[in-house]
């Protein structure tokens, strides 16, 4: 049976995934140090990397596809693109530059952004029990109007608690359903609970700033919603596109407004995130003080473990994103400061020409830059039989990643891992028929390595993720690719297995007791993935 499944995996993988040619073209693209010199002879464009070395000859740039380069130097990966002198009576030469996501960074970002947020970590029985719980309503038998009003206010606060967070949604649900309802009538308790809920709700401010699009009402002529990075990119592009002093001043004024609004949102998000971190760490005792006293030692320990894991997730996800966006806002602030100073002391910049050449582009590919640039150069003949004839070439430049190329893929893998199931037979706990996984589709992030010599064999490493039958599965493995025709990877599979807690096989129990006893543990297995194309 397993042999048949393995062959089925091979057949399906042959059309589900295969390495794209672009991955190998990136690995074999030309390495570039700093300068690139272009010349045009009226028919074709040519390039070389040095204007000093007389022995270096020009290489023709073919027109069929963009010539690819990888740049790497110790000056923020600065590229200076020069054009050799040409007779303006014979030719006109124009150039433009566009940006697009670098495939290496895009693969990583896409893999992270497309991680599912609705993973389940429990057996079907436990899932059903959890689904019927909903938002817990706390009630009182007291006829005192003030007491009833306080219960109503607290329940409203719980109902309106922010629950859309992909990171804390499960923690918030556990917290909301574990409160000490009998103490809602206590003024001190209700005030403490509202203070905690306010800090939890502050997470919405954080996530709106980090991940959502919004309008800036102060800009009346522009009602478009954009994210923080999109606002920065939009203003940066507008400043770069301004063609006269009037439009430049107007755009810069708008950019200053955008900067101020983004800094205000950044500060509000920073404060809310700090309060939430303090709640989960330094104020953990205060947090637990509002939980029900009947929770039991085991449930309290699990809540503490869940709280600790969320602290790590906040540090890994939100803090890094905050730093990234703060750096982007700082870049906009630096740009605005520089441009404001430029308006005060307006003067022409000195020429950066090398004798015989004109610098037509100077760009930086710093470590924070995650895109690549495509330079399009067009030559138009003005005389002779070829008058009006145009010749266009494209040069694509990206940061060098050494001998590694990163790409995403979707494919099938085989694993012998099997989910355990438990049930009640004759009032006793029994292990029932398991659920084998065998074949499962997964999203992979792959790292392909190129040897210094040769283009036949390429080692590769991959990490994947998928939702299993019941819980998530994480294949992490290594292997090799034979050009873009065949690849094989294998390695450990991280899975989550439902296990009995205090109960054992043969113990007397009912369905409710069994559901409460089942816990999830990390289990290791292995996987195999074969991919080829004809």
């Amino acid at each position: 049976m397993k042999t048949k499944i393995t062959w089925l995996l091979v057949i399906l993988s042959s059309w589900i995934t295969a390495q794209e040619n672009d991955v190998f073209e990136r690995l074999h693209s030309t390495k570039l140090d700093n300068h690139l010199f272009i010349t045009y002879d009226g028919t074709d464009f040519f390039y070389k990397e040095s204007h000093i070395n007389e022995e270096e000859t020009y290489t023709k740039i073919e027109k069929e596809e963009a010539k690819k380069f990888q740049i790497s130097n110790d000056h923020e990966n600065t590229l200076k693109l020069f054009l050799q002198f040409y007779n303006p009576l014979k030719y006109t030469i124009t150039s433009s530059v566009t940006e697009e996501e670098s495939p290496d960074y895009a693969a990583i970002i896409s893999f992270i952004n497309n991680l599912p947020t609705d993973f389940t970590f429990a057996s079907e029985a436990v899932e059903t029990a959890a689904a019927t719980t909903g938002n817990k309503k706390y009630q009182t038998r007291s006829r005192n109007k003030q007491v009833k009003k306080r219960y109503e206010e607290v329940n409203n606060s719980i109902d309106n608690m922010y629950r859309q967070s992909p990171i804390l949604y499960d923690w918030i649900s556990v917290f909301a359903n574990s409160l000490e309802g009998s103490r809602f009538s206590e003024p001190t308790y209700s005030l403490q609970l509202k203070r905690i809920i306010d800090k939890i709700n502050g997470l919405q401010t954080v996530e709106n700033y980090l991940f959502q699009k919004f309008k800036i009402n102060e800009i009346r002529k522009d009602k478009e919603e954009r994210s923080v990075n999109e606002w920065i990119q939009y203003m940066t592009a507008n400043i770069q596109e301004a063609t006269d002093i009037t439009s430049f001043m107007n755009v810069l004024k708008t950019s200053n407004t955008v900067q101020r609004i983004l800094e205000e949102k950044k500060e509000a998000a920073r404060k809310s995130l700090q309060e939430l971190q303090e709640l989960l760490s330094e104020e953990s005792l205060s947090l637990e003080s509002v939980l029900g006293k009947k929770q039991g030692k085991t449930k309290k320990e699990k809540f503490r473990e869940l709280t600790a894991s969320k602290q790590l997730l906040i540090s890994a996800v939100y803090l890094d994103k905050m730093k990234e966006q703060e750096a982007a806002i700082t870049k906009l602030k630096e740009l605005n400061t520089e441009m404001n100073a430029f308006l005060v002391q307006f003067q022409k910049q000195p020429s950066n020409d090398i004798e015989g050449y004109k610098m037509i582009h100077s760009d930086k590919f710093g470590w924070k830059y995650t895109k690549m640039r495509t330079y399009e150069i067009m030559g138009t003949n003005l005389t002779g039989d070829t008058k009006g004839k145009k010749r266009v070439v494209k040069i694509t430049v990206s940061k060098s990643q050494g001998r590694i190329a990163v790409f995403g893929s979707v494919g099938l893998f085989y694993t012998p891992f099997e989910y355990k199931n438990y049930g009640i037979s004759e009032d006793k706990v029994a292990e029932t028929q398991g659920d084998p996984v065998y074949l499962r589709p997964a999203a992979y992030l792959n790292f392909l390595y190129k040897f210094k010599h040769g283009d036949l064999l390429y080692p590769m490493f991959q990490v994947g993720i998928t939702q299993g039958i019941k819980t998530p599965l994480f294949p992490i493995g290594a292997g090799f690719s034979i050009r873009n025709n065949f690849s094989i990877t294998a390695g450990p599979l991280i899975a989550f297995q439902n296990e009995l807690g205090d109960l054992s096989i043969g113990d007397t129990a009912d369905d409710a007791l069994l559901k409460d006893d089942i816990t999830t543990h990390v289990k290791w297995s292995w996987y195999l993935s074969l991919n080829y194309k004809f």
Side-chain angles (χ1 to χ4, degrees):
M1 178 64 181
K2 292 184 178 180
T3 303
K4 293 181 179 180
I5 291 174
T6 302
W7 279 109
L8 178 61
L9 170 62
V10 172
I11 295 171
L12 291 175
S13 296
S14 68
W15 58 268
I16 287 179
T17 180
Q19 321 306 352
E20 294 292 338
N21 289 335
D22 178 68
V23 177
F24 295 89
E25 289 177 359
R26 281 186 278 137
L27 282 175
H28 291 275
S29 58
T30 303
K31 301 298 186 293
L32 189 62
D33 179 40
N34 184 275
H35 295 160
L36 190 62
F37 297 88
I38 307 295
T39 188
Y40 179 61
D41 68 356
T43 302
D44 294 297
F45 282 96
F46 303 82
Y47 77 90
K48 66 178 181 178
E49 297 182 40
S50 173
H51 70 291
I52 299 175
N53 185 0
E54 297 295 336
E55 295 181 359
E56 182 182 1
T57 58
Y58 278 99
T59 302
K60 181 180 176 180
I61 302 176
E62 301 295 340
K63 61 182 180 180
E64 284 75 16
E65 57 187 22
K67 174 63 180 176
K68 292 181 172 60
F69 292 90
Q70 293 187 46
I71 188 165
S72 177
N73 57 59
D74 296 330
H75 306 285
E76 297 190 67
N77 292 325
T78 300
L79 167 69
K80 291 184 178 181
L81 185 60
F82 293 88
L83 181 65
Q84 190 180 38
F85 173 81
Y86 62 93
N87 190 329
L89 297 177
K90 294 177 64 177
Y91 322 116
T92 61
I93 299 179
T94 59
S95 66
S96 62
V97 59
T98 57
E99 289 184 325
E100 58 183 298
E101 293 296 332
S102 170
D104 293 302
Y105 295 100
I108 296 173
I109 293 172
S110 177
F111 181 79
I112 294 174
N113 289 343
N114 287 288
L115 289 178
T117 59
D118 58 349
F119 275 146
T120 55
F121 285 85
S123 68
E124 184 176 352
V126 177
E127 289 173 13
T128 304
T132 60
T133 302
N135 293 339
K136 185 175 180 179
K137 294 290 185 181
Y138 298 90
Q139 300 179 355
T140 178
R141 297 179 180 180
S142 173
R143 296 182 180 180
N144 186 297
K145 292 183 178 180
Q146 186 174 0
V147 172
K148 287 187 175 181
K149 182 179 179 181
R150 187 170 292 121
Y151 264 82
E152 183 178 350
E153 291 175 350
V154 174
N155 273 310
N156 286 338
S157 297
I158 296 172
D159 287 343
N160 295 324
M161 193 184 309
Y162 178 63
R163 298 170 184 262
Q164 282 72 48
S165 170
I167 298 297
L168 290 183
Y169 74 97
D170 54 342
W171 182 90
I172 293 173
S173 297
V174 173
F175 171 79
N177 292 320
S178 303
L179 300 174
E180 185 68 49
S182 62
R183 297 179 61 194
F184 282 11
S185 60
E186 300 176 15
T188 302
Y189 179 90
S190 61
L191 288 175
Q192 172 74 347
L193 179 57
K194 288 180 180 179
R195 185 184 68 84
I196 292 174
I197 291 177
D198 286 341
K199 291 188 176 183
I200 294 174
N201 290 340
L203 183 60
Q204 185 173 11
T205 300
V206 177
E207 294 185 344
N208 285 346
Y209 164 74
L210 293 178
F211 307 112
Q212 300 299 319
K213 296 183 178 183
F214 52 87
K215 297 179 182 178
I216 294 183
N217 295 326
E218 286 81 350
I219 306 177
R220 297 180 180 179
K221 294 183 179 180
D222 190 343
K223 299 301 180 182
E224 185 74 16
E225 291 186 346
R226 299 180 179 89
S227 65
V228 170
N229 284 333
E230 286 173 346
W231 273 113
I232 294 172
Q233 292 170 1
Y234 173 72
M235 293 315 309
T236 301
N238 281 356
I239 293 174
Q240 294 173 341
E241 293 170 0
T243 56
D244 56 69
I245 191 67
T246 301
S247 62
F248 188 90
M249 292 177 63
N250 291 336
V251 169
L252 188 55
K253 181 179 179 181
T254 302
S255 185
N256 288 329
T257 300
V258 171
Q259 174 196 324
R260 175 176 58 82
I261 298 300
L262 294 184
E263 288 180 331
E264 291 174 356
K265 289 182 175 292
K266 178 195 71 175
E267 181 59 25
R270 184 201 62 78
K271 182 179 179 182
S272 296
L273 183 58
Q274 181 179 353
E275 290 178 349
L276 180 63
Q277 286 182 291
E278 292 173 352
L279 178 66
L280 298 180
S281 56
E282 301 171 7
E283 300 177 19
S284 58
L285 293 179
S286 174
L287 182 65
E288 293 183 11
S289 68
V290 299
L291 300 180
K293 296 181 179 179
K294 297 180 180 181
Q295 292 295 309
K297 183 177 180 181
T298 301
K299 289 187 176 181
K300 283 189 175 181
E301 289 179 352
K302 289 183 177 180
F303 181 77
R304 289 171 186 159
E305 293 174 357
L306 183 60
T307 301
S309 68
K310 296 306 178 183
Q311 293 181 53
L312 295 176
L313 279 176
I314 287 175
S315 298
V317 178
Y318 294 123
L319 289 182
D320 285 351
K321 187 69 174 178
M322 286 284 287
K323 291 178 181 178
E324 176 187 329
Q325 306 226 129
E326 182 178 5
I329 294 174
T330 299
K331 286 291 185 182
L332 178 63
K333 182 178 180 180
E334 291 173 350
L335 176 63
N336 289 341
T337 301
E338 183 181 350
M339 295 302 100
N340 285 321
F342 175 81
L343 285 176
V344 174
Q345 299 178 340
F346 183 80
Q347 61 181 3
K348 293 182 179 179
Q349 296 184 1
S351 173
N352 290 311
D353 287 355
I354 295 177
E355 185 177 358
Y357 293 86
K358 175 184 178 182
M359 186 172 69
I360 56 176
H361 291 286
S362 178
D363 291 313
K364 294 180 179 179
F365 295 73
W367 72 272
K368 290 184 181 179
Y369 188 76
T370 60
K371 299 184 178 182
M372 63 183 183
R373 293 184 172 98
T374 297
Y375 302 90
E376 183 177 279
I377 306 174
M378 182 175 67
T380 303
N381 293 354
L382 302 177
T383 62
D385 295 337
T386 59
K387 182 179 179 179
K389 182 180 179 181
K390 301 180 185 298
R391 177 74 166 90
V392 179
V393 293
K394 293 183 179 180
I395 298 172
T396 298
V397 182
S398 60
K399 280 192 300 184
S400 173
Q401 303 300 331
R403 301 181 184 278
I404 294 177
V406 184
F407 65 97
S409 66
V410 177
L412 291 174
F413 67 83
Y414 167 78
T415 178
F417 178 74
E418 181 175 307
Y419 288 99
K420 292 182 179 179
N421 290 320
Y422 300 93
I424 299 298
S425 177
E426 298 181 356
D427 296 329
K428 295 184 181 296
V429 177
E431 183 172 348
T432 59
Q433 177 66 41
D435 293 319
V437 175
Y438 293 148
L439 289 177
R440 202 69 185 172
Y444 293 106
L445 185 63
N446 306 280
F447 300 83
L448 198 66
Y449 179 79
K450 173 185 174 293
F451 288 121
K452 185 175 182 179
H453 301 290
D455 61 356
L456 178 63
L457 190 66
Y458 300 82
M460 65 183 297
F461 169 79
Q462 67 179 187
V463 56
I465 187 170
T466 184
Q467 175 65 52
I469 299 175
K470 297 181 179 180
T471 59
L473 302 172
F474 299 89
I476 302 174
F480 62 88
S481 175
I482 299 178
R483 297 180 67 84
N484 65 336
N485 302 113
F486 172 84
S487 70
I488 179 171
T489 53
L493 178 79
I494 302 176
F496 296 87
Q497 183 71 276
N498 293 321
E499 301 279 2
L500 294 176
D502 297 330
L503 293 176
S504 301
I505 301 297
D507 287 354
T508 301
D510 56 21
D511 288 335
L513 185 59
L514 177 60
K515 292 175 184 177
D516 291 338
D517 188 66
I518 291 178
T519 58
T520 302
H521 297 279
V522 175
K523 292 294 182 182
W524 293 86
S525 185
W526 59 270
Y527 82 100
L528 173 67
S529 179
L530 300 174
N531 307 291
Y532 73 96
K533 69 176 182 179
F534 297 100

